[in-house]
Amino acid sequence: MTNLSNNNYQKVIRSALAYNSDNIFLYWKGRVALYAALKAAGITSGDEVIIPGLTCVVVPNAILYCGAIPVYADVRSDTLTMDVDSAKKLINAKTKAIIIQNTFGLSADVDTLVDLARSRHILVLEDCTHGFGGYFKGQANGTLADASFFSTQWNKPYSTGLGGILLVNRPECFPWLAAINSACIAPSKQELLGLWLSLQARRFLLHDASYWLLLRLFRWLSKVGLVTGSSSTQEIKSTVMPADFLKQHSPLQASTGMRALASLDEVMAMRERAALAYREVLANHNKWHVSPLHDANNAHLKFPVLINDRRAFFSAAEKAQVRLSDWFVSPIHPVENDLSLWHLDVDTIPIATALAQKLVTINTEVADVEKVCRFLSSNLGLIEPN
Ligand SMILES: *Cc1c(COP(=O)(O)O)cnc(C)c1O
């Protein structure tokens, strides 16, 4: 982390969001940033960490890698983010931290949850992997918690292919961070080559025609086992930390990040325009949507809808060439079957479990907003009512 281009990149991040902090640290992935923060805070075996029940498996994994236990709070059905009362009930003498999560760009009740954590003398971290560029009550996402982490993986707010950022707002809570950071190893030549190749491939994905072609190719390659997603099989099938997990950011990521940040404002404006248009269609037909009160100034990374028949909705979308994602189709995405390895009993989080059956997210980074609105209008029957 002494590399010159990484230093420049840190400066650019700092100014991008007025994160007026010297305490910005860069990693190979967002999950590594989370793990570094937990370890640096001294989270260890016997400790419990509260997380929302609609998250990515890498979050409970990072807790388990520390020897601690993830405990799941339910979410609010109107905002998809952590339910304050549910979290409150889980706090006990073993609780060491709460991880509040920004979901699809939507903030949790950050101020209330931060107050709750402070009043119980436990740490509060914000998972801002979906929230870079957004605001909560006028404050840049990630600035209210004790520390926050961001992801710059390729479908997050802006991309360096893979990447993670840790923003530490209260350094005194993370006494072992310097030691953890110096234990980080550099990515291998092979990993850097793989990243470089996927960054090249991504340029093609930005074009609509090649997107649909490559989507089919990717599905076929996954089916025959030639490619895997951004999580290794080990991360989805077990809770054992992969070898060489604690890894640095590379100059390749930093230079990609500098370019990506330059167009962030433009992309944010595009996302907001799309999200507001989709919401208007749904609101006009009394279909479920997050209220304007809760999604003001958010990052609009994806636009969530609730769907009865997901298969029908996906096939209609493919016909109309509308891009959707299947994020959080499980309370700990993308694990679908046995959740007990991650200490989750779905009966304890009924709302998150029910939402995971119905969630679909619509891309907001689209030029042809009208096309998506027409698609929504002609498939209203598949969308849940308000
Ligand atoms: C993507 C994601 C992460 C992890 O980010 P990586 O950079 O892929 O490690 C963590 N939490 C949530 C909610 C995510 O969606």
Side-chain angles (χ1 to χ4, degrees), residues 119-170:
S119 73
R120 303 295 191 92
H121 306 288
I122 54 185
L123 210 62
V124 57
L125 304 178
E126 191 174 7
D127 179 340
C128 279
T129 50
H130 299 186
F132 195 100
Y135 289 80
F136 173 78
K137 294 187 180 171
Q139 311 235 38
N141 284 342
T143 51
L144 292 174
D146 298 328
S148 304
F149 68 101
F150 301 84
S151 169
T152 54
Q153 190 249 8
W154 72 288
N155 45 28
K156 303 298 164 86
Y158 80 92
S159 173
T160 61
L162 297 172
I165 303 166
L166 178 65
L167 167 69
V168 178
N169 298 317
R170 290 175 73 202

Side-chain angles (χ1 to χ4, degrees), residues 74 76 81-89 109 112-113 116:
D74 212 346
R76 289 173 53 160
T81 57
M82 186 183 272
D83 181 87
V84 177
D85 288 326
S86 175
K88 206 183 270 180
K89 283 184 201 137
D109 298 293
T112 314
L113 286 159
L116 172 67

Side-chain angles (χ1 to χ4, degrees), residues 285-338:
H285 293 89
N286 267 317
K287 296 294 181 180
W288 182 92
H289 58 278
V290 175
S291 86
L293 189 68
H294 284 283
D295 78 352
N297 300 314
N298 87 57
H300 299 292
L301 179 61
K302 298 277 177 190
F303 185 87
V305 287
L306 299 181
I307 303 299
N308 301 313
D309 182 349
R310 266 199 296 233
R311 195 182 294 248
F313 196 70
F314 269 89
S315 81
E318 195 156 342
K319 251 178 238 141
Q321 302 223 322
V322 165
R323 300 188 193 186
L324 307 176
S325 325
D326 55 354
W327 290 11
F328 300 164
V329 296
S330 149
I332 41 176
H333 189 81
V335 180
E336 292 206 56
N337 301 320
D338 186 9

Side-chain angles (χ1 to χ4, degrees), residues 28-34 54-59 101-103 127-130 149-156 161-165 230-231 235 245 301 327-328:
W28 179 242
K29 293 182 181 181
R31 65 199 73 179
V32 182
L34 168 61
L54 203 52
T55 189
C56 178
V57 67
V58 301
V59 173
Q101 180 182 292
N102 182 295
T103 302
D127 179 340
C128 279
T129 50
H130 299 186
F149 68 101
F150 301 84
S151 169
T152 54
Q153 190 249 8
W154 72 288
N155 45 28
K156 303 298 164 86
L162 297 172
I165 303 166
S230 76
S231 293
E235 289 172 292
F245 180 79
L301 179 61
W327 290 11
F328 300 164

Side-chain angles (χ1 to χ4, degrees), residues 15-36:
S15 60
L17 286 175
Y19 285 141
N20 194 16
S21 169
D22 289 328
N23 294 308
I24 290 174
F25 305 92
L26 305 173
Y27 302 89
W28 179 242
K29 293 182 181 181
R31 65 199 73 179
V32 182
L34 168 61
Y35 174 74

